Amino acid sequence: MYAKLRTPVRAAVLGLGLVALPAMAQHAAKVNGQPIPQIYMDVIIKEQVAQGLPDNEQLRQAVKEELIRRAVIAEQAKKAGLDKKAEVKAEMELARQGVLVRAYLKDFVAKNPVSEEEIKNAYAKITAMYSGDEFHTRHILVEKEEEAKDIIAKLGKGASWDELVKQSQDPGSKDRGGDLGWVTPDMFVPDFGTALGKMQKGETSKTPVKTQFGYHVIRVDDVRPQSPPPLEQIRPQIEQQLQQQKIQNHLEELVAKAKVE
């Protein structure tokens, strides 16, 4: 019975409080008699919380102090007539436009979300690109063909790859035993890629492969079919890319319709 009676009483009290609060909390502080609107503080706190900071008294106090400093400096700037300068006025207008642009794009994204069907269609295009094999590859790069032939001959006689790779002129792979990682032929210049695509697991090129970089001795440690990453692994990237494309298309439409002289 007590709980039933207390509920409407609490509601009435809270109702009075809600009516009174806006008048009391319409500004965060006053600086030389000029109020700092509470919404200024709310906006900054929201931004800070979105960046991972906790909404606590420490944050609120820090934001309030920052707003007071800004108000003091802005007041001095106006007294100095800086707000009348053409360059300052231009910067203020550009800042205002920037806020409007961000607000508009945020609203556009909310009203035009990427659909599940769009994500799946994009993923299907990605998976279609994963055909053929990928190769775990190593190479030794030298300047002259004779050097490459000599390395191939020494390997054929049982010489250590790890020793011979020290001659490589490729600084990116030399210290890793010539390791290029898991790659596909289309990742390289045509001559290198063509030679690589014809090789089998455990094979070392029998003749030097010439490219604009020099002469290569290629070794294939392993071969496996290409497999696309799972959808859920790359979903955020796909969604972001599709959303950016939506925005880009929309902006191009707006600019095309605008009368630009």
Side-chain angles (χ1 to χ4, degrees):
M1 180 64 71
Y2 178 79
K4 290 180 181 178
L5 289 173
R6 187 168 179 80
T7 301
V9 172
R10 290 183 63 201
V13 173
L14 287 173
L16 289 173
L18 288 172
V19 170
L21 276 175
M24 297 172 58
Q26 61 183 341
H27 52 77
K30 282 187 177 182
V31 176
N32 296 328
Q34 295 299 315
I36 299 175
Q38 177 64 35
I39 194 169
Y40 289 10
M41 189 166 178
D42 295 340
V43 167
I44 296 178
I45 288 173
K46 185 177 180 180
E47 291 175 350
Q48 296 298 311
V49 170
Q51 294 176 21
L53 290 179
D55 184 356
N56 54 28
E57 187 58 34
Q58 183 179 2
L59 174 62
R60 290 180 171 273
Q61 185 60 34
V63 171
K64 182 177 180 180
E65 291 174 359
E66 174 62 20
L67 286 171
I68 291 171
R69 281 192 293 269
R70 290 188 185 187
V72 170
I73 295 171
E75 183 179 35
Q76 293 303 310
K78 287 182 179 180
K79 287 181 179 180
L82 298 179
D83 58 325
K84 301 297 191 296
K85 286 191 172 183
E87 185 176 342
V88 174
K89 291 170 71 174
E91 289 183 13
M92 291 170 66
E93 176 58 22
L94 288 172
R96 187 187 72 85
Q97 286 183 357
V99 172
L100 287 173
V101 168
R102 289 193 297 272
Y104 180 81
L105 294 180
K106 183 178 180 181
D107 182 67
F108 176 81
V109 168
K111 292 177 178 177
N112 298 274
V114 175
S115 68
E116 185 65 22
E117 182 180 3
E118 289 174 318
I119 292 176
K120 289 182 177 178
N121 289 340
Y123 182 67
K125 292 179 181 179
I126 292 173
T127 57
M129 297 168 58
Y130 283 80
S131 59
D133 294 328
E134 56 182 351
F135 303 76
H136 187 188
T137 307
R138 297 176 186 271
H139 83 136
I140 300 173
L141 173 65
V142 291
E143 182 179 357
K144 299 179 180 179
E145 184 177 13
E146 292 74 17
E147 294 176 280
K149 286 182 177 179
D150 182 59
I151 290 171
I152 292 172
K154 288 179 179 178
L155 288 171
K157 294 178 182 179
S160 168
W161 174 278
D162 291 337
E163 285 299 318
L164 293 172
V165 78
K166 294 177 182 179
Q167 302 177 39
S168 181
Q169 296 180 4
D170 178 11
S173 66
K174 178 180 179 180
D175 294 335
R176 302 194 307 272
D179 194 355
L180 297 174
W182 284 98
V183 295
T184 56
D186 59 2
M187 294 171 61
F188 300 95
V189 293
D191 291 333
F192 190 103
T194 298
L196 176 62
K198 296 177 181 178
M199 296 178 67
Q200 304 296 318
K201 178 180 177 179
E203 184 180 358
T204 300
S205 53
K206 297 177 177 61
T207 57
V209 178
K210 182 182 179 182
T211 70
Q212 64 263 46
F213 304 107
Y215 291 85
H216 307 258
V217 178
I218 305 173
R219 190 179 94 182
V220 175
D221 289 348
D222 202 357
V223 181
R224 68 186 181 190
Q226 288 193 72
S227 58
L231 172 57
E232 293 309 312
Q233 181 179 327
I234 59 174
R235 175 185 288 273
Q237 294 93 319
I238 292 176
E239 188 170 2
Q240 182 181 29
Q241 187 175 21
L242 290 173
Q243 191 66 75
Q244 289 175 344
Q245 190 60 55
K246 280 178 180 280
I247 292 173
Q248 182 64 30
N249 292 342
H250 180 60
L251 294 181
E252 289 177 0
E253 290 176 2
L254 291 177
V255 173
K257 292 177 182 178
K259 183 179 180 180
V260 181
E261 299 177 353

